[in-house]
């Protein structure tokens, strides 16, 4: 049966357990500015940012996990929905379903950044003495 996370303290403890299940170097921090419900930021051992959110207090057993991207205003951040069956289950679903989408989105973001960088005109040759 899925856990019902009803308080920020319960949610924080669950997010810490998910981070531990993802890897030994993962950590969690508060996610300021999220006003729809409970949330926590997970930074994994490869410096990928994940926003773990519970957007609906009426469905406390359902989470939304968003991949963090450097330029989310230009590329939509992929996300998955997952049940709070256990922290290990959430970590497995992140690894299995979200990380591949995150990698694809990061590649698109890198290509977009490269494409948008200003092209420099070739330097004029210097006069010969």
């Amino acid at each position: 049966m899925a856990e019902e996370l009803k308080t920020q303290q319960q949610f924080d403890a669950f997010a810490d357990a998910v981070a531990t299940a993802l890897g030994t170097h993962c950590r969690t921090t508060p996610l300021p500015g999220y006003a729809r419900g409970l949330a926590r930021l997970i930074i994994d051992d490869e410096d990928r940012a994940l926003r773990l959110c519970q957007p609906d207090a009426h469905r406390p057993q359902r989470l939304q996990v968003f991949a963090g991207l450097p330029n989310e205003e230009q590329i939509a951040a992929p996300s998955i929905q997952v049940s709070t069956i256990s922290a290990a289950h959430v970590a497995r679903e992140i690894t299995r379903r979200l990380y591949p989408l995150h990698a694809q989105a990061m590649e698109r973001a890198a290509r977009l950044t490269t494409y948008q960088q200003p092209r420099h005109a070739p330097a004029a040759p210097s006069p010969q003495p």
Side-chain angles (χ1 to χ4, degrees):
M1 182 167 181
E3 292 188 43
E4 290 192 5
L5 307 171
K6 295 184 178 187
T7 68
Q8 187 66 52
Q9 185 177 15
Q10 290 172 324
F11 194 85
D12 292 351
F14 189 83
D16 288 342
V18 170
T20 298
L22 283 171
T24 57
H25 294 83
C26 293
R27 63 193 184 281
T28 66
T29 63
L31 183 58
Y34 186 78
R36 292 186 57 193
L38 305 176
R40 193 88 173 147
L41 183 66
I42 297 175
I43 308 295
D44 77 5
D45 51 359
E46 295 181 24
D47 285 333
R48 291 177 286 208
L50 305 170
R51 293 186 308 273
L52 188 65
C53 306
Q54 182 198 70
D56 186 355
H58 298 293
R59 297 180 62 197
Q61 71 283 3
R62 297 296 298 164
L63 301 178
Q64 187 85 21
V65 187
F66 297 89
L69 297 174
N71 52 352
E72 288 182 15
E73 59 279 346
Q74 295 177 321
I75 295 182
S79 69
I80 60 170
Q81 286 190 358
V82 64
S83 176
T84 59
I85 293 171
S86 70
H89 169 76
V90 173
R92 276 192 309 273
E93 292 300 297
I94 288 169
T95 301
R96 185 177 73 83
R97 295 171 41 211
L98 186 58
Y99 278 166
L101 298 173
H102 195 186
Q104 291 170 358
M106 289 297 287
E107 287 175 14
R108 284 192 306 274
R111 283 195 307 270
L112 182 64
T113 299
T114 300
Y115 178 75
Q116 290 179 342
Q117 287 179 347
R119 306 274 189 241
H120 295 289
S126 58
Q128 296 294 324

